[in-house]
């Protein structure tokens, strides 16, 4: 085969391959989203993170603004230490609060970030003070049954 | 510069447990065509490979252009091989390249010549073997004799001092046979090369060579000019030259008694 | 009885030693190829030629298989997800299966049988027809001139083919899920984008395909280079290439997956 034809085919092949990678990165993956921008890191402690996993989304008002970068355990306070990496495009007041939520009844868990009213904004390395851990289904059911028993005994008492 | 391009003294070679060559003495002067003959499996191809440096002798001395092949390192061997050509039994042309690219292969690998000069050189070499017109054919489109000639053109691409031929006549029709034989003689003379031809085609090679070595069972059985060989009364040479069925080389592979094998033994 | 047992154990031992020895030879061969790669990069058209034979000629089978695998994933995934009312996650299922596993693995399996076997057969035949020996006699190192360009051509082609396979698969899933069945296009793409991470999933998939490419190619080259120079030897070597490289792909995939996606 002629060298020029060969080069043309190989060129087309390489371009097609790169287009495929770009398609996967931008259309299938999340590279088109926040990830390509700069990020800053904030930390938050939770009494219980439930089934939260690294890379879980951080949402504010339902919009993905960052991801869980790391999950650790603080041996002094016996709490979970979660590192969030937030897109530099969004800034939040310093007294913002974080809560671990579940999308749907059985869906994946994410961190909901609720903006506060402080004038100072969160900076890299700051710690979120107001947090709410995951709601554990077993505790919830236990509580529910306990309350039900309570109200039954109350009704039976008089 | 010594007059002898190849000097072999007391060369032995063992392959595994088998002693293939035992005490070979051979000399090739510059500008000669030497034939190494013998029946199949006598070790003549091994001898050729030793000269080409594909294998190392077990003992003895093998000098090519004054260089001892037993102690040569890889770089020096590759340097030496640039001045050597080898024609393989069936040509061994690169099947994924055209005739032109085959002949140009070494020029492109070993020189920085511009493409126009490579083109001229390739056409000169192809013309020498009479196949300039076939330059854009693929090896699969060539007949056996033609691919042998292309391979010859390829091996003379860098104007070597020595060409080794491994069975250049095998499987050729009488016309191609004569053409190839004449080519070897003519190229050797015009390019001032030395040729070593390993063959078992007695009639064709006796017409063109300067000197003949007969190898049998790993030793040189006889040697001499073609005229001497034809007149030789040695039983082995006589059998070989005249193609007789029985002689020192028996028709039968060593076997137990025939009658015993058939169960007829008393 | 005892004799038979000892003979049997001895057989196992001999085969093990043979295998290990062969692996050692293959590893040395791999190093040799890397060491002699300079020529191919100085004369890049040698590699381009091999990208053509290994990559471009494998395109059709890769694209068609990718499309169909994606379509089947779309169909089957929909059936299962629908039971849980989660058919919007179809995009996630299709894309993650393809990008993480099926893309690299199936593309590599197809590559092994399409390009790997061709490489083995070609080099085996070059050896059988003394072309390799002729090259050596012309003072050209066949590892540098024949083996290394094929190695790099195939190693460059493999990740591109795997990416094309995955991309075609996602399109196939989209065709069946969104166009044919009618899953909402918006949630198909958005859920997919929320779940597929560039670094964790796509880059890891590419790394996998590069590793598979290296494994398949070196097996194919080694089998070809090592094949007995006969018709039977070459045909056996070709079969061995497909079998060995398929097993190598699956084994390596398990190891890589365990390292990459552990705890996720």
């Amino acid at each position: 085969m002629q060298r020029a034809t060969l080069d043309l085919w190989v060129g087309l092949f390489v371009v097609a391959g790169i287009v495929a990678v770009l398609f996967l990165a931008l259309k299938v993956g999340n590279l088109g989203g926040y990830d390509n921008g700069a990020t800053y890191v904030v930390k938050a402690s939770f009494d219980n993170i439930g089934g939260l996993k690294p890379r879980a989304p951080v949402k504010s008002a339902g919009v993905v603004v960052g991801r869980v970068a790391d999950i650790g355990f603080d041996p002094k306070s016996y709490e979970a230490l979660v590192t969030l990496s937030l897109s530099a495009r969004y800034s939040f007041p310093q007294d913002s609060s974080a809560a671990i939520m579940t999308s749907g009844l059985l869906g994946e868990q994410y961190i909901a970030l609720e903006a506060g009213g402080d004038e100072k904004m969160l900076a890299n390395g700051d710690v979120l003070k107001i947090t709410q851990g995951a709601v554990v289904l077993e505790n919830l059911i236990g509580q529910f049954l306990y309350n039900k028993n309570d109200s039954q005994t109350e009704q039976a008492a008089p | 510069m010594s007059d002898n391009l190849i000097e072999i003294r007391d060369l032995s070679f063992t392959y595994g447990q088998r002693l293939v060559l035992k005490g070979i003495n051979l000399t090739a002067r510059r500008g000669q065509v030497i034939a190494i003959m013998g029946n199949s499996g006598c070790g003549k191809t091994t001898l050729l490979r030793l000269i080409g440096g594909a294998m190392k002798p077990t003992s003895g001395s093998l000098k090519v252009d004054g260089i001892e092949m037993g102690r040569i390192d890889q770089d020096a061997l590759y340097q030496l091989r640039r001045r050597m050509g080898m024609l393989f039994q069936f040509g061994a042309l690169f099947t994924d390249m055209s005739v032109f690219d085959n002949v140009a292969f070494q020029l492109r690998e070993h020189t920085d010549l511009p493409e126009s000069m490579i083109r001229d050189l390739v056409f000169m070499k192809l013309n020498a073997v009479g196949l300039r017109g076939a330059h854009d054919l693929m090896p699969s489109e060539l007949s056996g004799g033609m691919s042998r000639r292309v391979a010859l053109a390829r091996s003379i691409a860098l104007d070597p001092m020595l060409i080794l031929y491994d069975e250049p006549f095998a499987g050729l029709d009488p016309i191609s046979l004569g053409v190839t034989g004449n080519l070897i003689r003519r190229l050797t003379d015009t390019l001032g090369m030395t040729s070593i031809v390993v063959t078992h085609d007695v009639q064709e090679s006796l017409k063109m060579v300067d000197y003949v070595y007969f190898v049998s069972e790993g030793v040189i059985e006889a040697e001499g000019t073609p005229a001497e060989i034809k007149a030789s009364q040695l039983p082995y040479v006589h059998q070989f030259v005249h193609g007789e069925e029985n002689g020192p080389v028996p028709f039968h592979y060593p076997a137990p008694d025939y009658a015993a094998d058939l169960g007829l033994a008393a | 009885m005892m004799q038979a047992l000892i003979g049997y154990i001895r057989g196992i031992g001999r085969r093990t030693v043979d295998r290990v020895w062969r692996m050692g030879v293959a590893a040395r061969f791999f190093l040799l190829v890397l060491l002699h790669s300079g020529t191919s990069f100085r004369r890049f058209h040698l590699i381009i030629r091999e990208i053509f034979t290994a990559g471009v000629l494998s395109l059709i089978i890769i694209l068609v298989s990718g499309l169909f695998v994606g379509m089947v994933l779309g169909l089957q995934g929909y059936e299962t997800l629908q039971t849980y009312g989660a058919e919007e996650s179809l995009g996630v299922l299709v894309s993650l299966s393809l990008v993480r596993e099926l893309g690299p693995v199936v593309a590599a399996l197809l590559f092994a049988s399409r390009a790997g076997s061709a490489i083995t057969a070609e080099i085996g035949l070059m050896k059988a027809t003394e072309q390799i020996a002729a090259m050596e006699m012309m003072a050209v190192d066949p590892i540098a001139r024949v083996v290394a360009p094929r190695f790099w051509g195939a190693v460059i082609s493999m990740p591109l083919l795997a990416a094309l396979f995955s991309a075609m698969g996602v399109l196939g899933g989209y065709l069946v899920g969104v166009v044919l069945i009618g899953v909402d296009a918006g949630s198909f793409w958005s859920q997919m984008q929320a779940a597929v991470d560039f670094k964790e999933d796509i880059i890891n998939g590419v790394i996998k395909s590069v590793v598979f490419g290296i494994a398949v190619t070196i097996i194919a080259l080694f089998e070809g280079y090592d094949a007995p120079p006969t018709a039977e030897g070459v045909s056996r070597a070709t079969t061995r290439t497909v079998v060995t490289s398929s097993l190598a792909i699956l084994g390596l995939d398990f190891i890589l997956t365990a390292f990459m996606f552990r705890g996720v």
Side-chain angles (χ1 to χ4, degrees):
Chain A
M1 186 174 293
Q2 286 296 307
R3 180 95 160 257
T5 337
L6 204 81
D7 287 353
L8 178 72
W9 271 108
V10 171
L12 283 176
F13 169 60
V14 172
V15 168
I18 289 170
V19 167
V21 173
L22 285 179
F23 169 78
L24 291 177
L26 300 177
K27 190 77 184 162
V28 176
N30 54 5
L31 202 65
Y34 70 96
D35 245 9
N36 47 357
T39 56
Y40 63 103
V41 168
V42 294
K43 289 188 166 135
S45 302
F46 293 93
D47 52 353
N48 190 340
I49 57 162
L52 191 74
K53 293 193 174 85
R55 295 203 308 107
V58 179
K59 297 183 185 178
S60 187
V63 178
V64 178
V65 296
R67 287 212 176 245
V68 172
D70 188 37
I71 295 175
F73 183 70
D74 186 350
K76 287 193 196 106
S77 62
Y78 304 109
E79 283 188 319
L81 193 63
V82 177
T83 314
L84 312 177
S85 126
L86 302 178
S87 167
R89 281 191 291 159
Y90 309 111
S91 42
F92 291 91
Q94 272 201 329
D95 61 343
S96 299
S97 63
I100 296 177
M101 303 283 208
T102 308
S103 51
L105 191 61
L106 299 166
E108 61 163 358
Q109 289 189 301
Y110 65 95
I111 291 186
L113 210 56
E114 188 103 4
D118 204 323
E119 282 181 5
K120 278 195 198 149
M121 291 295 167
L122 280 172
N124 198 27
D126 278 358
V127 177
L128 290 170
K129 300 205 176 56
I130 314 162
T131 61
Q132 188 199 325
V135 176
V136 179
L137 207 60
E138 289 92 324
N139 293 352
L140 206 69
I141 293 168
Q143 233 165 11
F144 173 71
L145 289 176
Y146 182 70
N147 286 344
K148 210 174 171 187
N149 280 346
D150 266 5
S151 52
Q152 272 171 355
T153 42
E154 270 166 35
Q155 276 167 7
Chain B
M1 197 160 85
S2 156
D3 203 29
N4 293 336
L5 187 64
I6 296 175
E7 280 181 45
I8 299 176
R9 295 284 164 267
D10 297 325
L11 174 84
S12 294
F13 181 75
T14 39
Y15 188 82
Q17 298 290 314
R18 210 161 70 90
L19 195 59
V20 184
L21 297 172
K22 23 199 163 175
I24 299 277
N25 286 298
L26 185 151
T27 314
R29 291 224 308 278
R30 289 173 198 277
Q32 273 189 328
V33 178
I34 305 283
I36 301 174
M37 286 192 221
N39 51 315
S40 314
C42 69
K44 55 192 193 306
T45 302
T46 309
L47 187 53
L48 202 66
R49 285 175 187 269
L50 283 166
I51 297 172
M55 298 181 287
K56 294 240 152 88
T58 313
S59 69
S61 150
L62 195 173
K63 280 187 187 161
V64 177
D65 200 26
I67 300 168
E68 178 60 56
M69 298 297 281
R71 290 194 298 272
I72 198 167
D73 64 17
Q74 188 78 4
D75 287 343
L77 178 62
Y78 270 27
Q79 282 303 320
L80 183 65
R81 278 181 179 171
R82 291 188 188 195
R83 296 187 288 144
M84 253 189 219
M86 180 153 177
L87 189 73
F88 282 84
Q89 194 163 358
F90 295 104
L93 293 177
F94 301 129
T95 39
D96 58 339
M97 297 179 197
S98 69
V99 166
F100 184 94
D101 291 336
N102 261 288
V103 180
F105 183 79
Q106 264 184 305
L107 295 168
R108 288 184 178 143
E109 294 290 327
H110 293 317
T111 68
D112 292 320
L113 295 176
E115 196 60 23
S116 62
M117 196 180 285
I118 288 182
R119 191 185 145 84
D120 292 349
L121 281 170
V122 170
F123 277 170
M124 277 162 62
K125 305 297 175 192
L126 278 175
N127 202 43
V129 298
L131 289 174
R132 190 165 38 85
H135 68 91
D136 55 357
L137 295 182
M138 292 304 281
S140 54
E141 299 168 288
L142 301 175
S143 70
M146 280 162 87
S147 38
R148 216 68 61 88
R149 278 148 73 190
V150 172
L152 188 53
R154 184 178 69 175
S155 52
I156 59 169
L158 287 179
D159 293 323
M161 58 177 180
L162 169 69
I163 296 203
L164 310 171
Y165 303 82
D166 188 6
E167 306 280 6
F169 306 121
L172 292 185
D173 61 83
I175 301 175
S176 307
L177 204 80
V179 168
T180 312
N182 286 335
L183 255 178
I184 293 173
R185 182 75 246 180
R186 205 165 63 229
L187 287 173
T188 308
D189 293 344
T190 51
L191 299 175
M193 307 182 304
T194 309
S195 294
I196 310 282
V197 184
V198 157
T199 180
H200 44 227
D201 192 292
V202 187
Q203 303 313 327
E204 188 56 41
S205 41
L206 285 184
K207 273 189 261 171
M208 48 160 269
V209 301
D210 297 310
Y211 205 78
V212 181
Y213 287 91
F214 268 96
V215 181
S216 170
E217 310 277 329
V219 293
I220 302 235
E221 195 79 19
E223 60 181 280
T225 59
E228 287 167 3
I229 290 296
K230 275 182 197 155
S232 170
Q233 288 309 307
L234 277 169
Y236 174 77
V237 178
H238 194 266
Q239 184 195 2
F240 203 92
V241 173
H242 299 279
E244 288 159 356
E245 187 176 80
N246 269 311
V249 182
F251 168 69
H252 285 292
Y253 189 83
D257 188 52
Y258 190 36
D261 257 5
L262 291 179
L264 301 175
Chain C
M1 182 59 204
M2 203 57 204
Q3 281 298 318
L5 192 67
I6 289 174
Y8 185 69
I9 292 173
R10 195 178 286 144
I12 294 176
R14 195 188 55 233
R15 251 171 284 160
T16 315
V17 169
D18 277 358
R19 291 282 149 78
V20 173
W21 185 78
R22 237 176 111 75
M23 271 179 82
V25 176
R28 204 184 57 180
F29 179 76
F30 182 35
L31 283 181
L32 224 60
V33 172
L34 292 183
L35 272 177
H36 288 78
S37 293
T39 320
S40 355
F41 283 98
R42 272 195 302 280
R43 294 164 60 191
F44 203 73
H45 72 268
L46 293 177
I47 295 185
I48 294 210
R49 212 188 139 85
E50 301 309 329
I51 295 180
F52 182 84
T53 35
V56 177
L57 295 182
S58 312
L59 263 181
I60 301 278
I61 186 162
I62 291 283
L63 292 181
V64 172
S65 320
L67 188 71
F68 275 87
V69 166
M71 279 165 41
V72 168
L73 273 178
L75 216 55
Q76 292 282 14
Y78 180 79
E79 290 295 320
T80 311
L81 290 173
Q82 188 201 31
T83 331
Y84 305 103
E87 56 267 33
E88 266 75 32
S89 303
L90 186 63
V92 179
L93 184 131
V94 171
S95 60
L96 278 187
S97 330
L98 278 165
V99 170
R100 283 185 177 180
E101 289 297 333
L102 291 177
V105 171
V106 179
L109 289 174
L110 291 171
F111 187 76
S113 38
R114 169 68 184 77
S117 59
I119 288 174
T120 305
E122 192 188 10
I123 294 198
L125 280 175
M126 282 184 84
K127 204 179 154 195
T129 52
E130 293 187 307
Q131 293 180 47
I132 300 276
M135 209 171 264
E136 268 177 344
M137 278 308 298
M138 285 189 247
V140 175
D141 185 356
I143 300 263
R145 183 60 177 70
V146 175
V147 176
R150 281 169 175 73
F151 176 75
W152 288 108
V155 169
I156 292 170
S157 301
M158 188 64 249
L160 297 172
L161 289 172
L164 282 164
F165 186 94
S166 297
M168 281 310 277
V170 170
L171 287 180
Y174 174 82
L175 272 181
V176 167
V178 177
V179 178
L180 237 63
I181 300 179
V183 173
D184 179 53
S187 48
F188 181 86
W189 291 114
S190 69
Q191 288 219 9
M192 190 193 292
Q193 282 167 13
V196 179
D197 187 73
F198 179 70
K199 233 186 292 168
E200 292 279 331
D201 298 319
I202 295 174
I203 293 292
N204 276 347
V206 172
I207 292 175
K208 271 189 180 182
S209 62
V210 171
V211 174
F212 296 161
I214 292 173
V216 170
T217 316
I218 213 70
I219 289 171
L221 288 167
F222 178 69
E223 288 292 355
Y225 209 75
D226 194 50
T230 58
E232 195 207 7
V234 174
S235 86
R236 275 184 181 209
T238 313
T239 314
R240 258 208 313 272
T241 292
V242 176
V243 173
T244 317
S245 43
S246 303
L247 290 177
I249 290 165
L250 297 173
L252 281 170
D253 183 50
F254 179 77
I255 295 170
L256 288 175
T257 308
F259 272 106
M260 285 171 172
F261 302 108
R262 188 183 46 183
V264 175

